[in-house]
């Protein structure tokens, strides 16, 4: 196996997924909707409602199986909801390569950079409250940021700060991979990036950067006087009725509720594949530490894309997407648009996700994987989401892949 450069590592709390090139364990047949989920039924309508038809369902089954085989993905859970047409909710493959335990649509999963949609929502609520402004400089809230007087909160949220990403620092990657169970503080994370010169002037160039979201987490804490995890729980998760979504932090940073799949990564010092299920996510904090499940994300996709928790004007600012320099992908304030789909994806060692909403068809797509290993530079969640949308929404094909690692 090709060795994975350690410094690509925590670009992995970012956006698009990855592909496991290791041999798969024998994969059981597709599991029907909601095999494990026993709580609530608000988002389980596919279990008793119409599917997308025998032909489309068969094509989706075949396409997903093909991507899993070619990319070596152990397990995948998919939810596609298309009002007026039906839905497709399936889990295939294995959650544990050692035991062959099947993947399920009811598992919790690490969602990596989808965390950014929650952090930025909390930030924008403070904008609505009049407690901050998007064009405030970060220096007003956090001291010691290189060129902080000229970098605004807007620049941070839209990935145009010009700061050096801490996750691209070779020393950080080595420190994390040497002990993936250690706890990092936000200030420790930022220090890895701040020792480098800025990559450019604020507002000029899109550079996907976890440092930006760590800073926005600190802004939320400064303004509210509360831990960012508590703010997100109280102001975002509760109003959105997301009962199976959490931000592990502080003494609970290692929390990972059962049931969940094992996660597999090759982001190690040697490039060897390992089980990263219980790695400490503190290194990703407000940029990528959160956990959720398929059905909570089904609900969240529409909430975040339509601005249900924000004022119309603030949501308009959020969705003012700009070109990223990567074909087919534009980025707003902690959210992207590709092929008409609005939302975010996530990647953290061992797990990947996609949660997007298509306003044109009021459709929602959620993909959860238990690997982040790329194949040919392609992330596995992108491959799965693209294959699904090529069949189900051919006029709106998802292509949310960027060279984030």
């Amino acid at each position: 196996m090709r060795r994975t450069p350690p410094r690509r590592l925590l670009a992995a709390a970012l956006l698009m997924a990855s592909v496991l090139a290791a041999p798969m364990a024998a994969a059981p047949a597709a599991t029907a909707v909601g095999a494990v989920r026993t709580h609530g039924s608000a988002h389980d309508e596919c279990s008793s409602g119409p599917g997308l038809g025998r032909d489309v369902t068969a094509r989706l089954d075949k396409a997903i199986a093909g991507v899993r085989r070619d990319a070596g993905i152990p397990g995948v859970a998919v939810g596609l909801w298309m009002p007026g047409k039906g839905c497709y909710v399936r889990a295939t493959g294995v959650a544990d390569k050692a035991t062959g335990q099947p993947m399920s649509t009811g598992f919790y999963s690490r969602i990596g950079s989808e965390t950014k949609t929650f952090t930025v929502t909390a930030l924008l609520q403070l904008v609505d409250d009049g407690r901050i402004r998007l064009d405030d400089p970060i220096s007003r809230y956090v001291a010691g940021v290189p060129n902080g007087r000229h970098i605004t909160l807007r620049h941070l949220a839209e990935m145009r700060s010009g700061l050096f990403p801490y996750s691209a620092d070779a020393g950080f990657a080595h420190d994390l991979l040497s002990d993936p169970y250690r706890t990092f503080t936000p200030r420790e994370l930022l220090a890895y990036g701040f020792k480098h010169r800025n990559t450019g002037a604020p507002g000029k160039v899109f550079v996907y950067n976890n440092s930006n979201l760590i800073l926005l987490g600190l802004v939320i804490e400064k303004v509210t006087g509360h831990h960012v995890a508590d703010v997100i729980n109280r102001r975002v998760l509760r109003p959105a009725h997301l009962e199976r979504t959490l931000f592990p932090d502080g003494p609970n940073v290692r929390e990972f509720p059962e049931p969940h799949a094992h996660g597999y990564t090759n982001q190690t010092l040697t490039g060897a594949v390992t089980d990263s299920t219980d790695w400490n996510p503190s290194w990703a904090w407000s940029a990528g530490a959160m956990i959720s499940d398929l059905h909570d994300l089904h609900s969240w996709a529409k909430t975040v894309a339509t601005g249900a928790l924000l004022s119309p004007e603030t949501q308009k600012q959020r969705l003012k997407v700009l070109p990223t320099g990567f074909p087919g992908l534009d980025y707003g304030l902690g959210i992207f648009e590709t092929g008409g789909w609005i939302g975010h994806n996530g990647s953290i060692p061992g797990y990947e996700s996609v949660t997007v909403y298509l306003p044109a068809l009021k459709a929602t797509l959620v993909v959860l994987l238990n690997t982040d290993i790329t194949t040919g530079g392609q992330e596995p969640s992108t491959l799965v989401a693209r294959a699904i949308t090529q069949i189900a929404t051919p006029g709106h094909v998802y292509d949310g892949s960027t060279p984030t690692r």
Side-chain angles (χ1 to χ4, degrees), residues 223-252:
V223 173
T224 65
H226 298 284
H227 293 298
V228 64
D230 294 334
V231 175
I232 288 175
N233 183 59
R234 178 172 54 87
R235 301 200 53 167
V236 181
L237 303 184
R238 290 181 188 173
H241 306 292
L242 304 180
E243 299 177 355
R244 285 168 61 94
T245 302
L246 62 149
F247 186 153
D249 192 27
N252 298 319

Side-chain angles (χ1 to χ4, degrees), residues 290-341:
M290 289 182 67
I291 292 167
S292 189
D293 78 348
L294 189 77
H295 297 272
D296 263 15
L297 294 174
H298 170 206
S299 176
W300 178 242
K302 182 176 181 180
T303 296
V304 70
T306 61
L309 300 181
L310 302 174
S311 70
E313 177 54 33
T314 299
Q315 180 68 2
K316 182 179 178 181
Q317 292 293 311
R318 177 175 215 163
L319 296 183
K320 190 180 291 183
V321 296
L322 299 172
T324 62
F326 308 115
L329 183 72
D330 296 330
Y331 204 87
L333 302 179
I335 202 165
F336 66 60
E337 187 276 329
T338 177
W341 293 93

Side-chain angles (χ1 to χ4, degrees), residues 128-362:
D128 278 339
D129 291 348
R131 301 173 72 178
I132 62 173
R133 296 177 302 175
L134 281 171
D135 294 318
D136 287 342
I138 185 60
S139 60
R140 181 171 299 178
Y141 306 99
V142 181
V145 180
N147 201 27
R149 290 184 302 167
H150 299 103
I151 298 171
T152 67
L153 306 186
R154 185 190 304 273
H155 291 145
L156 295 166
E158 67 186 12
M159 300 294 177
R160 294 171 184 270
S161 67
L163 293 170
F164 186 92
Y166 71 85
S167 51
D169 175 73
F172 166 73
H174 180 272
D175 291 348
L176 174 62
L177 296 178
S178 296
D179 181 10
Y181 301 98
R182 68 171 284 185
T183 295
F184 290 87
T185 68
R187 290 287 186 171
E188 286 174 337
L189 296 173
L190 292 172
Y192 287 102
F194 288 175
K195 67 185 180 182
H196 296 268
R197 297 183 62 171
N198 286 9
T199 60
K204 298 299 182 182
V205 179
F206 173 90
V207 176
Y208 196 83
N209 186 346
N210 285 336
S211 297
N212 297 335
L213 269 291
I214 301 299
L215 285 168
L216 293 182
L218 290 175
V219 170
I220 291 169
E221 294 195 336
K222 174 78 171 181
V223 173
T224 65
H226 298 284
H227 293 298
V228 64
D230 294 334
V231 175
I232 288 175
N233 183 59
R234 178 172 54 87
R235 301 200 53 167
V236 181
L237 303 184
R238 290 181 188 173
H241 306 292
L242 304 180
E243 299 177 355
R244 285 168 61 94
T245 302
L246 62 149
F247 186 153
D249 192 27
N252 298 319
V253 70
R254 299 284 293 277
E255 180 180 9
F256 195 173
E258 295 282 0
H260 58 253
H262 285 251
Y264 302 95
T265 188
N266 65 350
Q267 295 201 64
T268 59
L269 289 176
T270 64
V273 176
T274 192
D275 186 325
S276 56
T277 306
D278 296 318
W279 284 13
N280 188 328
S282 63
W283 69 265
W285 200 51
S286 53
M290 289 182 67
I291 292 167
S292 189
D293 78 348
L294 189 77
H295 297 272
D296 263 15
L297 294 174
H298 170 206
S299 176
W300 178 242
K302 182 176 181 180
T303 296
V304 70
T306 61
L309 300 181
L310 302 174
S311 70
E313 177 54 33
T314 299
Q315 180 68 2
K316 182 179 178 181
Q317 292 293 311
R318 177 175 215 163
L319 296 183
K320 190 180 291 183
V321 296
L322 299 172
T324 62
F326 308 115
L329 183 72
D330 296 330
Y331 204 87
L333 302 179
I335 202 165
F336 66 60
E337 187 276 329
T338 177
W341 293 93
I342 298 171
H344 218 288
N345 61 356
S347 182
I348 193 166
Y351 300 89
E352 291 206 333
S353 60
V354 172
T355 296
V356 286
Y357 180 76
L358 182 62
L361 299 177
K362 297 183 179 179

Side-chain angles (χ1 to χ4, degrees), residues 25-26 28 36 74-75 92-104 107 258-262 370:
V36 170
T92 62
V94 297
D96 186 334
K97 294 196 294 182
T99 66
Q101 177 190 14
M103 194 70 162
S104 169
F107 283 167
E258 295 282 0
H260 58 253
H262 285 251
N370 61 340

